[in-house]
Amino acid sequence: DAGVTQSPTHLIKTRGQQVTLRCSPISGHKSVSWYQQVLGQGPQFIFQYYEKEERGRGNFPDRFSARQFPNYSSELNVNALLLGDSALYLCASSILAGGPVEQYFGPGTRLTVT
Amino acid sequence: AQSVTQPDIHITVSEGASLELRCNYSYGATPYLFWYVQSPGQGLQLLLKYFSGDTLVQGIKGFEAEFKRSQSSFNLRKPSVHWSDAAEYFCAAMEGGFKTIFGAGTRLFVKA
């Protein structure tokens, strides 16, 4: 079975631009979470979506938004990019959104903002 | 505030030696606890998890972890380290089932 997939693998953007990152969960998983991992730090929670609804949001500005589609795939959008948005963006999927669940992570999208 | 602390930024061990990576959490109630490993430029791989029950949990690649409620700790151990274990290790905690908080990570170096 395919794991969590993310696209693109890498991308380079300029300050002020907008970016869209994509994630496809494991088949049968209905929950997708997004994390930002700045170099040298642990991942920071951005969003969780379950059944197309936002279930949780981390401490990120409104420039960050996301959505989940009927097939449970998800997009993360970041507007007005700043240099500090340069990071590895990780997507994780799980069967449910609540209770003791395992999250399975994708390989990430490396975003560089110049 | 909820937090996960990994006191050691990096650790160096000799191949074949034992390993213990420390993790402490600060939560109102016992959260669900995880250890992940990340190789350079890669995503996270789950090593093991603790939800409830037996406080000593076994994971993949020969790793184990022990949950100690009195110390709010969830330390990762391996009896004999292999060179391929060199990576970044993250302890994480989840409460409520949607928000996972990660520690800052411990970089493991293995010397021959």
Side-chain angles (χ1 to χ4, degrees), chain B residues 16-109:
Chain B
S18 63
L19 170 70
E20 183 169 27
L21 302 183
R22 297 183 291 164
C23 173
N24 293 95
Y25 63 88
S26 176
Y27 274 74
T30 300
Y32 306 125
L33 296 163
F34 308 84
W35 275 99
Y36 291 89
V37 61
Q38 185 178 38
S39 297
Q42 302 297 312
L44 300 171
Q45 182 182 23
L46 179 66
L47 288 175
L48 46 76
K49 61 187 183 291
Y50 174 78
F51 291 161
S52 65
D54 193 346
T55 57
L56 184 64
V57 294
Q58 303 297 319
I60 62 171
K61 303 185 179 187
F63 286 93
E64 68 177 25
E66 185 172 13
F67 167 65
K68 292 186 177 181
R69 186 188 307 273
S70 61
Q71 299 177 21
S72 297
S73 69
F74 188 56
N75 293 348
L76 181 71
R77 301 194 293 247
K78 187 170 185 178
S80 178
V81 169
H82 187 262
W83 64 267
S84 60
D85 293 323
E88 185 101 27
Y89 291 80
F90 292 96
C91 180
M94 175 195 291
E95 187 176 48
F98 75 91
K99 180 178 180 179
T100 300
I101 294 179
F102 286 82
T106 298
R107 169 75 62 180
L108 173 63
F109 297 94

Side-chain angles (χ1 to χ4, degrees), chain A residues 68-82:
Chain A
Q68 187 176 33
F69 299 97
N71 66 354
Y72 303 111
S73 67
S74 176
E75 287 183 351
L76 175 70
N77 294 283
V78 186
N79 295 321
L81 285 166
L82 303 174

Side-chain angles (χ1 to χ4, degrees), chain A residues 58-97:
Chain A
N59 188 24
F60 280 81
D62 292 342
R63 298 185 296 107
F64 288 77
S65 63
R67 55 179 175 168
Q68 187 176 33
F69 299 97
N71 66 354
Y72 303 111
S73 67
S74 176
E75 287 183 351
L76 175 70
N77 294 283
V78 186
N79 295 321
L81 285 166
L82 303 174
L83 294 179
D85 295 330
S86 295
L88 180 67
Y89 288 84
L90 296 165
C91 171
S93 77
S94 56
I95 292 177
L96 300 173

Side-chain angles (χ1 to χ4, degrees), chain A residues 26 41 55 60-61 70 95 111:
Chain A
I26 293 171
Q41 298 182 19
R55 285 300 192 93
F60 280 81
I95 292 177
L111 171 65

Side-chain angles (χ1 to χ4, degrees), chain A residues 8-108:
Chain A
T9 305
H10 299 87
L11 74 166
I12 300 173
K13 292 287 188 178
T14 304
R15 276 179 298 176
Q17 288 187 317
Q18 175 265 339
V19 68
T20 298
L21 312 180
R22 296 176 175 82
C23 171
S24 292
I26 293 171
S27 177
H29 286 194
K30 298 182 178 180
S31 176
V32 170
S33 297
W34 287 95
Y35 294 82
Q36 180 196 64
Q37 185 178 20
V38 173
L39 194 62
Q41 298 182 19
Q44 300 290 318
F45 173 77
I46 309 176
F47 287 110
Q48 187 196 49
Y49 276 77
Y50 178 71
E51 291 280 18
K52 295 172 289 182
E53 292 188 2
E54 182 183 303
R55 285 300 192 93
R57 169 187 283 257
N59 188 24
F60 280 81
D62 292 342
R63 298 185 296 107
F64 288 77
S65 63
R67 55 179 175 168
Q68 187 176 33
F69 299 97
N71 66 354
Y72 303 111
S73 67
S74 176
E75 287 183 351
L76 175 70
N77 294 283
V78 186
N79 295 321
L81 285 166
L82 303 174
L83 294 179
D85 295 330
S86 295
L88 180 67
Y89 288 84
L90 296 165
C91 171
S93 77
S94 56
I95 292 177
L96 300 173
V101 293
E102 294 180 25
Q103 293 183 93
Y104 296 85
F105 284 81

